Structure formats: structure tokens, C-alpha cells
Amino acid sequence: MFKNELKKIYTNILIYIAILVTGLIFMSGTLYRSVMDSKEYNLFMLTDEEFRGGDEWDIAPDFSQAVMSGPNSYMNIFSMIIVSIPFTMLVSSEKKNSNTRFEIIRVGRFKYTLGKFLAVITSGGTVMVAGYLIYVIACYFILPETRTEMF
């Protein structure tokens, strides 16, 4: 049952859209706050050529600071919704077909419930980890390398 659920989820386009949205939300969070004018910058703003040429680029966050900073506030708000989208669409299409009772009779209630539960956990974890991986790759190419401070 678990393999069938994963097959249904990973062949659906919504999981890949959810991964992309998760990566974009990670990139839109505040990464750096300017000391001069208290303006907040996200990863998209740090790609601006004017910012890169200015004096503030010297004190902007490097790759390791950006990756270790953790999820932003937008991700805390929207993560539960985004993670559940692929599985919710699968369940609603299953309810429309009304094949649920036949599957329960075929595999048993416990295996059916366990398969659904494990599929939700696996697909949600995949969405979060793959979205964060997109963010890390974008940070690697946009932000400067890790600096070593010498005192």
C-alpha cells in the first residue's frame, strides 16, 4: 500500500510545484538587514548588481551564514499548507472515485491507514528537503564564499 501511495504522489505534478514554491519562499525571507538604512534584503535583492558593487556587499552574509540561518518567518507560516497540498489532492481525487472502501477491503484497515500515514510523512519531508536544497544551491551561486575573519 505504501509503495502505491508514493507512486501516486510522485507521479503527480503538484509535488514538484510544491517543491518549487517552498524553494521560492525560502529565498524570499530576510537574509540581511542593512546597517545604514535598516532596509531588509532577501536573496533576490542580493542578486542586484548595484548592491554587489556597493560597500554593503562587504558586510553582506556569506554562504555559510545564509544556509545556517534557518527557515524564515514566511516558511513557518506556510509550511504546513504547502507540505499537505500534494497529498490533499490525492485524497480528494480518491474520494471522488469512491474506491476507498474497495482498497480497505483488499488490504485491510490497518495497512491502508499506515500506508497513508507513511506516504504523508514521506511526501511532506520530500517537499521541505528538496525546497531547502533549491535554496542552498541558489545561495551557493549568488552569495560570496565563506569568509575567514582574522583578528
Side-chain angles (χ1 to χ4, degrees), residues 42-52 57 138 142:
N42 59 24
L43 196 61
F44 298 118
M45 292 176 173
L46 291 177
T47 60
D48 188 19
E49 291 298 324
E50 291 178 17
F51 183 81
R52 283 184 173 213
W57 183 251
I142 293 172

Side-chain angles (χ1 to χ4, degrees), residues 25-26 28-30 71-79 82:
I25 289 175
F26 270 120
S28 68
T30 301
N72 54 44
S73 58
Y74 295 125
M75 201 65 230
N76 292 335
I77 295 170
F78 296 119
S79 64
I82 294 171

Side-chain angles (χ1 to χ4, degrees), residues 9-95:
I9 289 173
Y10 289 125
T11 55
N12 193 350
I13 189 78
L14 286 176
I15 193 163
Y16 302 108
I17 292 171
I19 289 170
L20 184 64
V21 168
T22 303
L24 291 174
I25 289 175
F26 270 120
M27 289 182 222
S28 68
T30 301
L31 192 61
Y32 168 68
R33 183 173 303 206
S34 174
V35 184
M36 306 287 225
D37 56 358
S38 298
K39 187 175 179 183
E40 294 179 346
Y41 293 96
N42 59 24
L43 196 61
F44 298 118
M45 292 176 173
L46 291 177
T47 60
D48 188 19
E49 291 298 324
E50 291 178 17
F51 183 81
R52 283 184 173 213
D55 294 335
E56 289 195 39
W57 183 251
D58 295 334
I59 55 174
D62 57 6
F63 173 71
S64 65
Q65 289 173 338
V67 171
M68 295 300 188
S69 65
N72 54 44
S73 58
Y74 295 125
M75 201 65 230
N76 292 335
I77 295 170
F78 296 119
S79 64
M80 298 304 161
I81 297 168
I82 294 171
V83 163
S84 66
I85 286 174
F87 191 76
T88 306
M89 297 307 287
L90 187 100
V91 168
S92 69
S93 67
E94 208 172 83
K95 293 290 182 186

Side-chain angles (χ1 to χ4, degrees), residues 1 3-4 6 11 13 16 31 44 48 59-61 86 88 97-98 100 102 109-110 112 119 122 128 144-146:
M1 186 69 199
K3 286 182 184 179
N4 293 337
L6 285 182
T11 55
I13 189 78
Y16 302 108
L31 192 61
F44 298 118
D48 188 19
I59 55 174
T88 306
N97 292 339
S98 67
T100 308
F102 299 118
R109 185 177 298 255
F110 179 73
Y112 177 80
T122 306
M128 291 301 287
E145 293 179 14
T146 304

